[in-house]
Amino acid sequence: MRGGELRAALVDAVLGGLVAAAMALPMLGVRLEDSASGLSLSNRLDWVAWSAAIVAGGRLLIGFVRHSLAGKIPGTPAPPRQVMVYVGWAMVAFALVLPFLPFAGRNVVDKATLVLIYVMLGWGLNIVVGLAGLLDLGFVAFYAVGAYSYALLSQTFGLSFWVCLPLAGVLAALFGMILGFPVLRLRGDYIAIVTMGLGEIIRVVLQNWQDVTGGPNGISGIERPSFFGLSFKMVPPEGQKGFAEFFGLDYSADHRVIFLYFLILVLALLTNLFTLRIRRLPVGRAWEALREDEIACRSLGINPTTVKLSAFATGAMFAGFAGSFFATRQGFISPESFTFIESAVILAIVVLGGMGSQIGIVLAALLLVGLPEWFRELQQFRMLAFGAAMVLIMLWKPSGLMSTREPTIRLGEAK
């Protein structure tokens, strides 16, 4: 490393250390202690110094490694499409047998169900962000619309889950179109700001419209789904048979957990199949063309208004399905389940996995949702690990874990 490069690396390390110290001072530098004489404020400046030193050393090490490996490591080749197909089918096969594996108890199946909810949400947002290129930071609003639609329809009109599920998707798609109108003339970061505001408006409305949504208390006692009319309750409703009684099994609460797992697995696979198929249709190609260049789309006669609204409505529909499933799984919903952090997590899954990549979203959901659930004792460090993972991915793979996208159509064989 030459003198100028060494000086630049040192300056970068010092600046990184100063930024780390500024951020660590309010978070780690002061501490509120409870003692017999009352509360007192103490400082932990040594923690701040250690944080700054670690960050500065890390930046310096990254600079050295980057300089020493410059031009020596070839770019990571994209995996062949056939390999990705095999990987996808292997994932599906593993998901199908997971509840019957020896290590898969109720806890594992329950956590896998949660991961699949986020996989479905990620695939839904992937239509808006990954395919159409519309940065949506209010996606959780459609998730909430789906959940509240099912809860209100079920409790007000006594409709079953299977009747409410498509209705929740339709209502969420309608909200997607309504919320899509204000952003038709916007691009890039401005769409993100407006959608974030719209998402917060939905949450505030749910929190304050107490006569309908229950306000902060939420809605409880939401009806659970049945298996073709067979209840999973220990004592089924009068005139109905229980699942265990019909199949001659001993009653177990695990039956409902496994049924919910397969239900969300089917919903997620249908979402994936729909996305893969629609990409080959004219509307799917219009989404990808809009993502690449809106002006070129207009010159080709593609109507951006229709394309944007169809992308918002389709993504919102799948969020509505996922919200409906979330409501029936939890049995209770409240506005606290649909905060901005949920939108941020779903968007992070799409970006981390690689925008437009279906398998990448599954891997990102496992990393961002599955791992924190398996290491709950480290829950307080979740956001720290979350931020570190995002920084590392942006440095290592700026386009996401699986950033390659096969074109849906080719004009001719490559020579």
Side-chain angles (χ1 to χ4, degrees):
M1 182 177 284
R2 299 175 181 174
E5 294 171 338
L6 179 60
R7 187 166 53 252
L10 289 172
V11 169
D12 180 71
V14 171
L15 289 177
L18 290 175
V19 171
M23 295 179 66
L25 185 61
M27 292 189 287
L28 301 175
V30 291
R31 183 182 184 186
L32 197 61
E33 293 184 342
D34 189 8
S35 60
S37 58
L39 295 175
S40 61
L41 199 64
S42 63
N43 62 65
R44 294 187 298 194
L45 297 180
D46 54 333
W47 285 40
V48 177
W50 273 110
S51 302
I54 290 172
V55 171
R59 290 294 305 175
L60 192 61
L61 182 63
I62 288 175
F64 283 135
V65 171
R66 185 176 292 171
H67 178 268
S68 60
L69 298 180
K72 296 180 180 178
I73 298 180
T76 308
R81 184 176 183 278
Q82 197 62 31
V83 172
M84 299 307 296
V85 172
Y86 290 143
V87 171
W89 279 112
M91 285 182 171
V92 172
F94 179 76
L96 287 173
V97 301
L98 175 63
F100 310 109
L101 296 177
F103 62 84
R106 176 172 179 164
N107 190 29
V108 172
V109 176
D110 206 40
K111 287 173 180 173
T113 304
L114 181 65
V115 172
L116 285 173
I117 292 176
Y118 280 90
V119 169
M120 186 173 175
L121 288 170
W123 280 341
L125 183 61
N126 193 34
I127 293 174
V128 184
V129 178
L131 299 185
L134 304 169
L135 187 54
D136 186 353
L137 282 178
F139 196 67
V140 74
F142 312 126
Y143 187 39
V145 168
Y148 273 88
S149 297
Y150 168 61
L152 292 173
L153 288 172
S154 173
Q155 296 201 341
T156 306
F157 301 105
L159 300 177
S160 70
F161 171 77
W162 300 106
V163 175
C164 293
L165 181 67
L167 293 177
V170 170
L171 288 172
L174 186 61
F175 268 81
M177 292 182 68
I178 293 173
L179 297 183
F181 273 107
V183 301
L184 287 177
R185 294 179 177 275
L186 302 179
R187 296 182 185 179
D189 302 340
Y190 301 103
I191 294 180
I193 294 170
V194 174
T195 52
M196 183 174 67
L198 293 174
E200 280 300 292
I201 288 173
I202 293 291
R203 188 184 64 81
V204 171
V205 168
L206 293 175
Q207 196 157 14
N208 291 281
W209 199 4
Q210 298 197 13
D211 293 339
V212 176
T213 64
N217 296 326
I219 301 175
S220 59
I222 300 173
E223 185 64 25
R224 302 302 178 97
S226 62
F227 180 74
F228 294 103
L230 300 175
S231 173
F232 288 92
K233 295 178 180 176
M234 178 179 286
V235 180
E238 189 175 352
Q240 294 184 16
K241 277 192 172 183
F243 178 85
E245 180 187 359
F246 183 83
F247 288 100
L249 303 171
D250 294 331
Y251 173 78
S252 171
D254 292 348
H255 293 158
R256 184 180 65 83
V257 176
I258 295 175
F259 170 68
L260 289 175
Y261 169 79
F262 279 112
L263 178 57
I264 187 61
L265 177 62
V266 169
L267 290 175
L269 290 178
L270 288 176
T271 306
N272 182 41
L273 181 64
F274 179 90
T275 306
L276 294 177
R277 297 299 300 173
I278 204 169
R279 282 185 65 183
R280 299 177 181 276
L281 298 179
V283 64
R285 292 171 187 163
W287 289 342
E288 294 185 290
L290 181 75
R291 178 193 64 207
E292 299 300 330
D293 195 328
E294 184 172 339
I295 296 175
C297 281
R298 290 178 186 271
S299 66
L300 290 172
I302 297 174
N303 186 350
T305 300
T306 309
V307 175
K308 287 182 180 179
L309 289 181
S310 63
F312 271 114
T314 308
M317 179 182 69
F318 291 117
F321 291 152
S324 181
F325 175 83
F326 173 78
T328 194
R329 173 179 178 258
Q330 297 293 112
F332 168 77
I333 53 173
S334 73
E336 294 303 315
S337 302
F338 309 104
T339 56
F340 170 71
I341 191 66
E342 294 297 320
S343 283
V345 170
I346 300 166
L347 181 63
I349 288 172
V350 175
V351 174
L352 190 65
M355 289 192 289
S357 170
Q358 300 292 89
I359 293 180
I361 287 173
V362 178
L363 298 177
L366 284 170
L367 282 174
L368 295 183
V369 180
L371 285 184
E373 287 296 321
W374 260 277
F375 296 99
R376 272 191 173 271
E377 60 274 13
L378 304 176
Q379 185 72 16
Q380 57 182 327
F381 300 107
R382 179 187 179 191
M383 295 311 295
L384 182 64
F386 184 85
M390 293 300 292
V391 170
L392 290 175
I393 289 296
M394 289 303 107
L395 288 173
W396 175 50
K397 297 276 286 184
S399 302
L401 293 173
M402 297 285 180
S403 57
T404 55
R405 284 189 296 239
E406 282 289 324
T408 54
I409 188 171
R410 295 180 187 274
L411 294 178
E413 292 296 329
K415 295 181 179 179

